[in-house]
Amino acid sequence: MINPFEGAKLHDCRDAFTSVLEALGSKNTDIVAVCNDSVGSSKLGGFRDKFPERLINVGIAEQNMVGVGAGLANGGKIPFVCAASPFLTGRALEQIKADVAYSETNVKLVGISSGMAYGELGPTHHSIEDFAWIRALPNVPVVAPADRNETAAVIKWAAATTGGCFLRLSRVGVPDLLPEEHVFELGKANLLREGNDLTLIANGVLTHRALMAAALLEKDGINARVLNMASVRPIDETAIVSAAKDTGAILTCEEHTTFGGLGSAVAEVVVDQAPVPMTRLGVPGVFAHTASANTLLDDYGMSPEAMAESARALIERKG
């Protein structure tokens, strides 16, 4: 297959998260980290060593963890509340709703190892509902960066912005897509590739796969536009409407159930403002089985080859 990233080094977005958090913590003593006995998996060891008084480990008590974060925010601190995404969002959803969203506290929720990154640990550790759960809540932006540079930019944005947010980070290695100097803008998509035959919209670990699919389509003479939609809520309605009008078909790709996530958010805009044929790729409303993260993506039709095939079928529907 055509692989524009062949030989590219893969990076863990958690490293960018903690590197930036430590740098920001050196400049701002109000920045604190709260975790659920996940110093290792959240890669907070360096932050703990540098600022031991500013790392609060509540143990396996995610509901309390969110409450502690809200209390710290009410006291003027800037808490980054970190945990594996399935447990942060699933176990503590009521506290996120009441203590972060409804109370409008300055809590930065960081869902680590999201999507199917914990593949071999099975369905209880997959986090393929988190977009839907958090996107339904007011006052909590939902963001899923595509690479380490966007992750760094998102952490800087979160620290400098007053208000809660949910940041979805994977542990699966991805190549660099955006420049080191990238500045994140909430509610703005990044155009990664021009095209006029259809548009591929993705985020997180699927963004580079979308670009690989576009490279395969180019071989067939199909020019695919590729949008990195890191901001799921608020979503870039202008970019979506332009894509619909310019290319006439939209394919979304997400490491999430097809219910309530990126594809649903895009479809809501399309059906209201610019109806065109759409295909939503994701986990089709089932509990994802047990396998490696990349194998799971392939199994659910999100290999670059399968994405390209879905795009071809969508173009046939477009006529």
Side-chain angles (χ1 to χ4, degrees):
M1 63 167 289
I2 299 172
N3 182 359
F5 302 106
E6 187 172 1
K9 186 174 181 180
L10 303 182
H11 302 278
D12 185 335
C13 290
R14 295 176 299 171
D15 293 325
F17 159 55
T18 52
S19 176
V20 172
L21 193 67
E22 290 169 28
L24 293 173
S26 297
K27 299 175 182 177
N28 187 345
T29 58
D30 285 333
I31 290 177
V32 298
V34 187
C35 71
N36 64 334
D37 200 26
S38 60
V39 172
S41 61
S42 297
K43 295 204 169 186
L44 288 169
F47 189 92
R48 177 194 57 195
D49 294 342
K50 290 182 179 179
F51 319 110
E53 74 286 357
R54 286 194 268 151
L55 187 285
I56 301 171
N57 186 346
V58 303
I60 303 175
E62 289 79 7
Q63 295 164 324
N64 290 343
M65 177 182 66
V66 173
V68 168
L72 289 165
N74 284 332
K77 302 300 181 183
I78 305 172
F80 283 77
V81 176
C82 311
S85 195
F87 310 128
L88 170 62
T89 58
R91 290 180 183 165
L93 187 58
E94 180 183 358
Q95 284 67 33
I96 292 172
K97 175 182 176 180
D99 297 345
V100 180
Y102 178 72
S103 300
E104 298 187 62
T105 50
N106 191 30
V107 176
K108 320 303 178 180
L109 302 166
V110 185
I112 301 292
S113 302
S114 56
M116 297 179 288
Y118 279 133
E120 291 88 350
L121 296 181
T124 59
H125 283 62
H126 299 333
S127 188
I128 56 173
E129 309 87 4
D130 48 8
F131 279 158
W133 289 340
I134 308 301
R135 190 172 76 88
L137 298 174
N139 306 321
V140 184
V142 176
V143 180
D147 69 359
R148 61 171 178 165
N149 294 327
E150 188 167 36
T151 299
V154 165
I155 301 306
K156 293 173 185 175
W157 163 82
T161 303
T162 300
C165 59
F166 172 61
L167 313 179
R168 190 186 202 246
L169 306 183
S170 180
R171 67 195 292 136
V172 176
V174 292
D176 290 341
L177 304 177
L178 295 158
E180 286 188 26
E181 64 274 14
H182 176 67
V183 176
F184 174 74
E185 292 184 66
L186 183 66
K188 295 294 182 182
N190 305 119
L191 176 63
L192 300 184
R193 183 185 174 111
E194 294 279 5
N196 53 21
D197 292 325
L198 86 159
T199 301
L200 307 181
I201 301 179
N203 60 21
V205 301
L206 280 171
T207 309
H208 77 283
R209 287 185 173 223
L211 286 165
M212 292 166 70
L216 288 171
L217 292 168
E218 184 177 31
K219 187 178 179 181
D220 297 337
I222 298 171
N223 294 315
R225 180 178 300 187
V226 179
L227 293 177
N228 168 39
M229 195 68 70
S231 182
V232 179
R233 178 172 180 165
I235 203 161
D236 192 340
E237 296 187 11
T238 299
I240 294 168
V241 171
S242 294
K245 292 180 177 179
D246 294 346
T247 72
I250 294 177
L251 176 72
T252 60
C253 317
E254 59 188 314
E255 192 185 16
H256 189 273
T257 174
T258 51
F259 294 89
L262 173 64
S264 297
V266 171
E268 289 161 13
V269 177
V270 169
V271 73
D272 284 344
Q273 302 186 45
V276 295
M278 266 194 72
T279 297
R280 295 175 296 119
L281 296 181
V283 181
V286 299
F287 287 109
H289 57 272
T290 303
S292 70
N294 287 318
T295 296
L296 285 164
L297 290 174
D298 293 348
D299 288 349
Y300 290 111
M302 288 175 283
S303 67
E305 296 88 349
M307 291 164 65
E309 188 57 36
S310 293
R312 295 184 191 100
L314 179 58
I315 288 176
E316 288 186 12
R317 284 174 51 202
K318 170 185 169 184

